[in-house]
Coordinates of all heavy atoms in Angstrom, one line a residue:
M1 N 21.9 16.2 5.1 CA 21.3 16.6 6.6 C 22.0 16.0 7.6 O 21.8 14.7 7.7 CB 19.8 16.6 6.5 CG 19.1 17.4 7.5 SD 17.4 17.3 7.6 CE 16.9 17.8 5.8
R2 N 22.6 16.7 8.4 CA 23.3 16.0 9.6 C 22.4 15.8 10.8 O 21.5 16.7 11.1 CB 24.5 16.8 10.1 CG 25.4 17.1 8.9 CD 26.9 17.4 9.4 NE 26.8 18.6 10.3 CZ 27.0 19.8 10.0 NH1 27.2 20.0 8.6 NH2 26.9 20.7 10.9
H3 N 22.4 14.6 11.3 CA 21.5 14.3 12.4 C 21.6 15.2 13.6 O 20.5 15.5 14.2 CB 21.8 12.8 12.8 CG 20.7 12.3 13.8 ND1 19.5 11.9 13.3 CD2 20.6 12.1 15.2 CE1 18.7 11.6 14.3 NE2 19.5 11.5 15.5
R4 N 22.6 15.8 13.9 CA 22.8 16.5 15.2 C 22.2 17.9 14.9 O 22.1 18.7 15.8 CB 24.2 16.7 15.6 CG 25.2 17.3 14.6 CD 26.5 17.5 15.2 NE 27.6 18.1 14.3 CZ 28.4 17.5 13.6 NH1 28.4 16.2 13.7 NH2 29.3 17.9 12.8
D5 N 21.8 18.2 13.6 CA 21.3 19.6 13.3 C 19.7 19.4 13.6 O 18.9 20.4 13.6 CB 21.6 20.0 12.0 CG 22.8 20.2 11.7 OD1 23.5 20.6 12.7 OD2 23.3 20.1 10.5
T6 N 19.2 18.2 13.8 CA 17.7 18.1 14.0 C 17.3 18.8 15.3 O 17.8 18.4 16.4 CB 17.4 16.6 14.1 OG1 17.9 15.9 12.9 CG2 15.9 16.3 14.1
P7 N 16.3 19.6 15.4 CA 16.0 20.4 16.5 C 15.3 19.3 17.5 O 14.5 18.4 17.1 CB 15.1 21.4 16.0 CG 15.0 21.3 14.6 CD 15.6 20.1 14.2
R8 N 15.6 19.6 18.8 CA 14.9 18.7 19.8 C 13.5 18.9 19.7 O 12.9 19.8 19.4 CB 15.4 19.1 21.1 CG 16.6 18.4 21.6 CD 17.1 19.0 22.9 NE 18.3 18.3 23.5 CZ 18.1 17.3 24.2 NH1 16.9 17.0 24.7 NH2 19.2 16.7 24.8
G9 N 12.8 17.7 19.9 CA 11.3 17.7 20.0 C 10.6 17.6 18.6 O 9.4 17.7 18.5
H10 N 11.4 17.4 17.6 CA 10.7 17.4 16.3 C 10.8 15.8 15.8 O 11.8 15.1 16.0 CB 11.5 18.1 15.2 CG 11.1 19.7 15.4 ND1 10.8 20.3 14.2 CD2 11.1 20.5 16.4 CE1 10.5 21.6 14.5 NE2 10.7 21.7 15.8
F11 N 9.7 15.5 15.2 CA 9.6 14.1 14.7 C 9.8 14.1 13.2 O 9.5 15.0 12.6 CB 8.3 13.5 15.2 CG 7.9 13.4 16.5 CD1 7.4 14.3 17.3 CD2 8.4 12.2 17.1 CE1 7.2 14.2 18.6 CE2 8.1 12.0 18.5 CZ 7.6 13.1 19.2
R12 N 10.5 13.1 12.8 CA 10.8 13.0 11.4 C 10.9 11.5 10.9 O 11.3 10.7 11.7 CB 12.1 13.9 11.0 CG 13.3 13.5 11.8 CD 14.2 14.6 11.6 NE 14.8 14.7 10.2 CZ 16.0 14.2 10.0 NH1 16.9 13.7 10.9 NH2 16.4 14.3 8.7
E13 N 11.0 11.4 9.7 CA 11.1 10.1 9.1 C 12.6 9.7 9.1 O 13.4 10.4 8.7 CB 10.6 9.9 7.6 CG 9.1 9.6 7.6 CD 8.6 9.4 6.2 OE1 9.5 8.9 5.4 OE2 7.5 9.7 5.9
N14 N 12.9 8.6 9.7 CA 14.4 8.2 9.7 C 14.5 6.7 9.3 O 13.9 5.8 9.7 CB 14.7 8.3 11.2 CG 16.2 8.2 11.4 OD1 17.0 8.3 10.3 ND2 16.7 7.8 12.7
A15 N 15.3 6.7 8.3 CA 15.8 5.4 7.6 C 14.4 4.6 7.3 O 14.4 3.3 7.5 CB 16.6 4.7 8.5
G16 N 13.5 5.2 6.8 CA 12.2 4.5 6.3 C 11.3 4.1 7.4 O 10.3 3.6 7.2
L17 N 11.6 4.4 8.5 CA 10.8 4.2 9.7 C 9.8 5.4 10.1 O 10.4 6.4 10.5 CB 11.6 3.7 10.9 CG 10.8 3.4 12.3 CD1 10.2 2.0 12.1 CD2 11.6 3.5 13.5
L18 N 8.6 5.2 9.9 CA 7.7 6.3 10.2 C 7.5 6.5 11.6 O 7.0 5.5 12.3 CB 6.4 6.1 9.4 CG 5.3 7.1 9.7 CD1 5.8 8.6 9.1 CD2 4.0 6.8 9.2
V19 N 7.7 7.6 12.2 CA 7.5 8.0 13.5 C 6.4 8.7 13.7 O 6.0 9.7 13.2 CB 8.8 8.7 14.1 CG1 8.5 9.2 15.6 CG2 10.1 8.0 14.0
I20 N 5.3 8.2 14.6 CA 4.1 8.8 14.7 C 4.2 9.7 15.8 O 4.5 9.1 17.0 CB 2.9 7.7 14.8 CG1 2.9 6.9 13.6 CG2 1.7 8.5 15.1 CD1 1.9 5.7 13.8
P21 N 4.0 11.0 15.7 CA 4.1 11.8 16.9 C 2.8 11.5 17.8 O 1.7 11.7 17.5 CB 4.0 13.2 16.3 CG 3.8 13.1 14.8 CD 3.7 11.7 14.4
V22 N 3.2 11.2 19.1 CA 2.0 10.9 20.0 C 2.2 11.8 21.2 O 3.2 11.9 21.8 CB 2.1 9.5 20.5 CG1 1.2 9.1 21.5 CG2 2.0 8.5 19.2
K23 N 1.1 12.4 21.7 CA 1.1 13.2 22.7 C 1.4 12.2 24.0 O 0.5 11.5 24.4 CB -0.3 13.9 23.0 CG -0.1 15.3 23.7 CD -1.6 16.0 23.5 CE -1.5 17.1 24.4 NZ -2.7 17.1 25.4
A24 N 2.5 12.5 24.6 CA 2.9 11.5 25.7 C 2.4 12.1 27.1 O 2.7 11.4 28.1 CB 4.4 11.5 25.7
S25 N 1.8 13.3 27.1 CA 1.4 13.8 28.4 C 0.4 12.9 29.1 O -0.5 12.6 28.3 CB 1.0 15.3 28.3 OG -0.1 15.4 27.6
G26 N 0.6 12.7 30.3 CA -0.5 11.9 31.1 C -0.4 10.5 30.9 O -1.2 9.7 31.4
T27 N 0.5 10.0 30.1 CA 0.6 8.5 29.8 C 0.9 7.7 30.9 O 0.5 6.5 31.0 CB 1.6 8.2 28.6 OG1 2.8 9.0 28.8 CG2 1.0 8.6 27.2
S28 N 1.6 8.3 31.9 CA 2.1 7.6 33.1 C 1.0 7.6 34.2 O 1.2 7.0 35.1 CB 3.4 8.0 33.6 OG 3.3 9.3 34.0
Q29 N 0.0 8.5 33.9 CA -1.1 8.7 35.0 C -2.2 7.9 34.6 O -2.9 7.5 35.5 CB -1.4 10.3 35.0 CG -0.4 11.2 35.3 CD 0.1 11.3 36.7 OE1 -0.6 11.5 37.5 NE2 1.3 11.2 36.9
D30 N -2.5 8.0 33.2 CA -3.7 7.0 32.8 C -3.4 5.6 32.9 O -2.4 5.0 32.6 CB -4.1 7.6 31.4 CG -4.4 8.9 31.2 OD1 -4.8 9.5 32.3 OD2 -4.5 9.4 30.2
C31 N -4.5 4.9 33.3 CA -4.4 3.4 33.5 C -4.5 2.9 31.9 O -5.4 3.2 31.2 CB -5.6 2.8 34.2 SG -5.5 1.0 34.3
S32 N -3.4 1.9 31.5 CA -3.5 1.5 30.2 C -4.5 0.4 29.9 O -4.8 0.1 28.9 CB -2.2 0.9 29.9 OG -1.8 -0.2 30.8
N33 N -5.2 -0.1 31.1 CA -6.1 -1.1 31.0 C -7.6 -0.5 30.8 O -8.2 -0.9 30.1 CB -6.0 -2.0 32.1 CG -6.8 -3.3 31.9 OD1 -6.7 -4.0 30.8 ND2 -7.6 -3.7 32.9
C34 N -7.8 0.4 31.6 CA -9.3 0.9 31.8 C -9.4 2.4 31.5 O -10.5 3.0 31.4 CB -9.9 0.5 33.1 SG -9.3 1.6 34.5
G35 N -8.2 3.1 31.3 CA -8.2 4.5 30.9 C -8.5 5.5 32.0 O -8.5 6.7 31.8
V36 N -8.7 5.0 33.4 CA -8.9 5.8 34.4 C -7.6 6.6 34.8 O -6.6 6.0 34.8 CB -9.5 5.1 35.6 CG1 -9.3 5.7 37.0 CG2 -11.0 4.9 35.4
K37 N -7.7 7.8 35.2 CA -6.5 8.5 35.7 C -6.2 8.1 37.0 O -7.0 8.2 37.9 CB -6.8 10.1 35.6 CG -5.6 10.9 35.5 CD -6.0 12.4 35.2 CE -4.8 13.1 34.5 NZ -4.6 12.8 33.2
V38 N -4.9 7.8 37.1 CA -4.4 7.3 38.5 C -3.4 8.2 38.8 O -2.1 7.9 38.4 CB -3.9 5.8 38.4 CG1 -3.4 5.3 39.9 CG2 -4.9 4.8 37.9
P39 N -3.4 9.4 39.5 CA -2.4 10.4 39.8 C -1.5 9.6 40.7 O -1.8 9.0 41.6 CB -3.2 11.6 40.6 CG -4.7 11.2 40.3 CD -4.8 9.8 40.1
K40 N -0.1 10.0 40.4 CA 0.9 9.5 41.2 C 2.2 10.5 41.1 O 2.3 11.2 40.0 CB 1.5 8.1 40.7 CG 1.6 8.0 39.2 CD 2.1 6.6 38.8 CE 0.9 5.6 38.5 NZ 0.2 6.0 37.2
E41 N 2.9 10.5 42.2 CA 4.0 11.4 42.3 C 5.1 10.7 41.5 O 5.1 9.7 41.1 CB 4.5 11.4 43.7 CG 3.5 11.8 44.6 CD 3.2 13.4 44.6 OE1 4.2 14.1 44.3 OE2 2.1 13.7 44.9
L42 N 6.1 11.6 41.0 CA 7.2 11.3 40.1 C 7.9 10.1 40.7 O 8.4 9.2 39.9 CB 8.0 12.4 39.8 CG 7.7 13.2 38.6 CD1 8.6 14.5 38.5 CD2 7.8 12.4 37.4
H43 N 8.0 10.0 42.0 CA 8.9 8.9 42.6 C 8.2 7.7 42.7 O 8.8 6.5 42.9 CB 9.3 9.3 44.0 CG 8.3 9.4 45.1 ND1 7.7 10.6 45.2 CD2 7.8 8.5 45.8 CE1 6.7 10.3 46.2 NE2 6.7 9.0 46.6
V44 N 6.9 7.6 42.4 CA 6.1 6.3 42.4 C 6.4 5.6 41.2 O 5.9 6.1 40.1 CB 4.6 6.7 42.6 CG1 3.8 5.4 42.5 CG2 4.3 7.4 44.0
R45 N 7.0 4.5 41.2 CA 7.5 3.7 40.0 C 6.4 2.6 39.8 O 6.7 2.0 38.7 CB 8.9 3.2 40.1 CG 9.9 4.1 40.6 CD 10.1 5.2 39.6 NE 10.3 4.8 38.2 CZ 10.1 5.6 37.2 NH1 9.7 6.9 37.3 NH2 10.4 5.1 36.0
W46 N 5.4 2.4 40.5 CA 4.4 1.4 40.2 C 3.1 2.0 39.9 O 2.7 2.8 40.6 CB 4.5 0.4 41.4 CG 3.9 -0.9 40.9 CD1 2.7 -1.4 41.4 CD2 4.5 -2.0 40.3 NE1 2.5 -2.6 40.8 CE2 3.7 -3.0 40.1 CE3 5.8 -2.0 39.7 CZ2 3.9 -4.2 39.4 CZ3 6.1 -3.3 39.0 CH2 5.1 -4.3 38.8
H47 N 2.5 1.4 39.0 CA 1.0 1.8 38.5 C 0.2 0.8 39.3 O 0.3 -0.4 38.9 CB 1.0 1.9 37.0 CG -0.6 2.1 36.6 ND1 -1.1 3.3 36.6 CD2 -1.5 1.1 36.3 CE1 -2.4 3.2 36.2 NE2 -2.7 1.8 36.0
D48 N -0.6 1.2 40.0 CA -1.7 0.4 40.7 C -3.1 1.0 40.6 O -3.4 1.9 41.3 CB -1.3 0.3 42.2 CG -1.3 -1.2 42.7 OD1 -2.0 -1.9 42.1 OD2 -0.5 -1.4 43.6
C49 N -4.0 0.4 39.6 CA -5.2 1.0 39.5 C -6.2 0.4 40.4 O -6.4 -0.7 40.5 CB -5.6 0.7 38.0 SG -7.2 1.4 37.6
S50 N -6.8 1.3 41.2 CA -7.9 1.0 42.1 C -9.2 0.6 41.4 O -10.1 0.1 42.0 CB -8.1 2.0 43.1 OG -8.3 3.2 42.6
N51 N -9.3 0.9 40.1 CA -10.5 0.9 39.4 C -10.7 -0.6 38.9 O -11.6 -1.2 38.9 CB -10.7 2.0 38.3 CG -12.0 1.8 37.6 OD1 -13.1 1.8 38.1 ND2 -11.9 1.7 36.3
C52 N -9.6 -0.9 38.1 CA -9.6 -2.3 37.5 C -8.6 -3.3 38.1 O -8.6 -4.4 37.6 CB -9.5 -2.1 36.0 SG -7.6 -1.7 35.7
G53 N -7.7 -2.9 39.0 CA -6.8 -3.8 39.7 C -5.6 -4.0 38.9 O -4.8 -4.9 39.3
C54 N -5.5 -3.2 37.8 CA -4.3 -3.4 36.9 C -3.0 -3.0 37.7 O -3.0 -1.8 38.3 CB -4.5 -2.5 35.6 SG -3.1 -2.5 34.6
S55 N -2.1 -3.7 37.7 CA -0.7 -3.5 38.6 C 0.4 -3.7 37.7 O 0.7 -4.9 37.2 CB -0.9 -4.4 39.8 OG 0.2 -4.0 40.5
L56 N 1.2 -2.7 37.3 CA 2.4 -3.0 36.5 C 3.4 -1.7 36.7 O 2.9 -0.7 37.3 CB 2.1 -3.2 35.0 CG 1.6 -2.0 34.2 CD1 1.6 -2.4 32.7 CD2 0.3 -1.6 34.5
D57 N 4.5 -1.9 36.2 CA 5.6 -0.9 36.1 C 4.9 0.4 35.6 O 4.3 0.4 34.5 CB 6.9 -1.3 35.5 CG 8.0 -0.4 35.6 OD1 8.5 -0.5 36.7 OD2 8.1 0.5 34.8
R58 N 5.4 1.5 36.1 CA 4.8 2.8 35.7 C 5.2 3.0 34.2 O 4.4 3.6 33.5 CB 5.5 3.9 36.5 CG 5.2 5.4 36.2 CD 6.3 6.3 36.7 NE 5.9 7.6 36.4 CZ 5.4 8.5 37.1 NH1 5.1 8.2 38.4 NH2 5.0 9.7 36.8
D59 N 6.5 2.8 33.9 CA 7.1 2.9 32.6 C 6.4 1.9 31.5 O 6.1 2.4 30.4 CB 8.6 2.8 32.6 CG 9.2 3.9 33.2 OD1 8.7 5.0 33.5 OD2 10.4 3.7 33.6
H60 N 6.1 0.7 32.1 CA 5.4 -0.2 31.1 C 3.9 0.2 30.9 O 3.5 0.3 29.7 CB 5.4 -1.5 32.0 CG 5.0 -2.7 31.0 ND1 4.9 -3.9 31.6 CD2 4.5 -2.7 29.7 CE1 4.4 -4.7 30.6 NE2 4.2 -4.0 29.5
N61 N 3.3 0.8 31.8 CA 2.0 1.4 31.7 C 2.0 2.6 30.7 O 1.2 2.6 29.8 CB 1.5 1.8 33.1 CG 0.0 2.5 33.0 OD1 -0.9 1.8 32.7 ND2 -0.1 3.7 33.2
A62 N 2.9 3.4 30.9 CA 3.0 4.6 30.0 C 3.4 4.1 28.5 O 2.8 4.7 27.6 CB 4.3 5.4 30.4
A63 N 4.2 3.1 28.4 CA 4.6 2.6 27.1 C 3.3 1.9 26.3 O 3.1 2.2 25.3 CB 5.7 1.4 27.2
I64 N 2.5 1.3 27.1 CA 1.3 0.8 26.6 C 0.3 1.8 26.0 O -0.3 1.7 25.0 CB 0.5 -0.3 27.5 CG1 1.4 -1.4 27.8 CG2 -0.8 -0.7 27.1 CD1 1.0 -2.2 29.0
N65 N 0.1 2.9 27.0 CA -0.7 4.1 26.6 C -0.2 4.8 25.2 O -1.0 5.1 24.5 CB -0.6 5.1 27.7 CG -1.6 4.8 28.9 OD1 -2.6 4.0 28.6 ND2 -1.3 5.2 30.0
I66 N 1.1 4.9 25.1 CA 1.6 5.5 24.0 C 1.4 4.6 22.7 O 1.0 5.1 21.8 CB 3.1 5.7 24.2 CG1 3.5 6.9 25.1 CG2 3.8 6.0 22.9 CD1 4.9 7.0 25.6
K67 N 1.6 3.3 22.9 CA 1.3 2.4 21.9 C -0.1 2.4 21.4 O -0.4 2.6 20.3 CB 1.7 0.9 22.3 CG 1.8 -0.1 21.1 CD 1.6 -1.4 21.6 CE 0.1 -1.8 21.9 NZ -0.2 -3.1 22.2
N68 N -1.0 2.5 22.5 CA -2.5 2.5 22.1 C -2.8 3.9 21.4 O -3.8 3.9 20.6 CB -3.3 2.5 23.4 CG -3.2 1.1 24.1 OD1 -3.0 0.1 23.3 ND2 -3.6 1.0 25.4
R69 N -2.2 5.0 21.8 CA -2.5 6.2 21.1 C -2.0 6.1 19.7 O -2.7 6.7 18.8 CB -1.8 7.4 21.8 CG -2.4 7.6 23.1 CD -1.9 8.7 23.9 NE -2.4 8.8 25.3 CZ -2.3 9.8 26.1 NH1 -1.7 11.0 25.6 NH2 -2.8 9.9 27.3
A70 N -0.8 5.6 19.5 CA -0.3 5.4 18.1 C -1.2 4.6 17.2 O -1.5 4.9 16.1 CB 1.1 4.9 18.0
V71 N -1.6 3.5 17.7 CA -2.5 2.6 17.1 C -3.9 3.3 16.7 O -4.4 3.2 15.5 CB -2.9 1.3 17.9 CG1 -4.1 0.5 17.3 CG2 -1.6 0.5 18.0
G72 N -4.4 4.0 17.7 CA -5.6 5.0 17.5 C -5.4 5.8 16.3 O -6.3 6.1 15.5
H73 N -4.3 6.5 16.4 CA -3.8 7.5 15.4 C -3.9 6.7 13.8 O -4.6 7.2 13.0 CB -2.4 7.9 15.5 CG -1.9 8.9 14.6 ND1 -1.9 10.3 14.8 CD2 -1.4 8.7 13.3 CE1 -1.4 10.9 13.7 NE2 -1.1 10.0 12.8
S74 N -3.4 5.6 13.6 CA -3.3 5.0 12.4 C -4.7 4.5 12.0 O -5.1 4.5 10.8 CB -2.4 3.9 12.3 OG -2.5 2.9 13.5
A75 N -5.4 4.0 12.9 CA -6.9 3.7 12.8 C -7.7 4.8 12.2 O -8.4 4.6 11.3 CB -7.6 3.0 14.0
L76 N -7.5 5.9 12.9 CA -8.3 7.1 12.4 C -7.9 7.5 10.9 O -8.8 7.7 10.1 CB -8.0 8.3 13.2 CG -8.7 8.4 14.6 CD1 -8.2 9.5 15.4 CD2 -10.2 8.6 14.3
K77 N -6.6 7.4 10.6 CA -6.1 7.7 9.3 C -6.8 6.7 8.3 O -7.2 7.0 7.2 CB -4.6 7.4 9.3 CG -3.9 8.6 8.6 CD -2.5 8.4 8.7 CE -1.7 9.3 7.7 NZ -0.2 9.2 7.9
A78 N -6.8 5.3 8.6 CA -7.3 4.3 7.7 C -8.8 4.6 7.4 O -9.2 4.3 6.2 CB -7.0 3.0 8.3
K79 N -9.5 5.0 8.5 CA -11.0 5.2 8.5 C -11.2 6.4 7.4 O -12.0 6.3 6.5 CB -11.5 5.7 9.8 CG -12.8 5.2 10.1 CD -13.2 5.5 11.5 CE -14.6 4.9 11.9 NZ -14.8 5.3 13.3
S80 N -10.4 7.4 7.5 CA -10.6 8.7 6.7 C -10.3 8.3 5.2 O -10.8 8.8 4.3 CB -9.9 9.8 7.1 OG -8.4 9.5 7.1
L81 N -9.3 7.4 5.0 CA -8.9 7.1 3.7 C -10.0 6.2 3.0 O -10.3 6.3 1.9 CB -7.7 6.2 3.8 CG -6.4 7.1 3.9 CD1 -5.2 6.1 4.0 CD2 -6.2 7.9 2.6
R82 N -10.7 5.3 3.8 CA -11.8 4.4 3.5 C -12.9 5.2 3.0 O -13.7 4.8 2.2 CB -12.1 3.4 4.4 CG -12.0 1.9 3.9 CD -12.3 1.0 5.1 NE -11.1 0.9 5.9 CZ -11.3 0.8 7.3 NH1 -12.5 0.9 7.9 NH2 -10.3 0.5 8.2
A83 N -13.1 6.4 3.6 CA -14.5 7.1 3.6 C -14.3 7.9 2.1 O -15.4 8.3 1.7 CB -14.5 8.1 4.6
R84 N -13.2 7.9 1.6 CA -13.0 8.7 0.4 C -13.7 7.9 -0.9 O -13.6 6.8 -1.0 CB -11.6 9.0 0.0 CG -11.2 10.2 0.7 CD -9.7 10.5 0.4 NE -9.2 11.5 1.4 CZ -7.9 11.7 1.6 NH1 -7.0 11.3 0.8 NH2 -7.6 12.5 2.5
Ligands
ZN1 ZN1 -7.5 0.5 35.5

């Protein structure tokens, strides 16, 4: 299977590394610290939360949100496996 044949937007296992599909929408808007939505224009590169005072780079904030969602994903999976 040639890599360039992979359709855009599809997640797949690559070289043994499991890629968890995470819904990335809103990750740059939500505060990674308290979860409150902080609407910002695309040109605003800094995340400044008026609720908890969290202040960090917009992309950094989004990355933390994506990581948190991925962690939640695996936690849910582990929970359902344990319940069997
Ligand atoms: Zn916050």
Side-chain angles (χ1 to χ4, degrees):
M1 202 181 293
R2 297 203 307 271
H3 190 71
R4 63 171 176 266
D5 292 333
T6 307
R8 271 172 172 267
H10 281 234
F11 294 91
R12 56 199 290 256
E13 278 186 27
N14 189 15
L17 180 79
L18 177 65
V19 179
I20 302 170
V22 175
K23 207 171 168 237
S25 64
T27 48
S28 61
Q29 306 281 310
D30 296 345
C31 177
S32 60
N33 192 49
C34 70
V36 157
K37 203 169 202 71
V38 185
K40 52 181 85 69
E41 302 287 327
L42 268 173
H43 68 270
V44 179
R45 303 305 305 165
W46 198 256
H47 172 82
D48 228 333
C49 182
S50 56
N51 186 55
C52 70
C54 178
S55 181
L56 75 172
D57 185 84
R58 177 204 181 102
D59 292 337
H60 191 180
N61 179 63
I64 295 170
N65 278 332
I66 289 167
K67 192 203 80 177
N68 286 343
R69 290 182 192 196
V71 167
H73 179 97
S74 53
L76 277 172
K77 224 174 170 185
K79 214 175 183 182
S80 64
L81 281 173
R82 232 180 283 135
R84 274 179 201 174

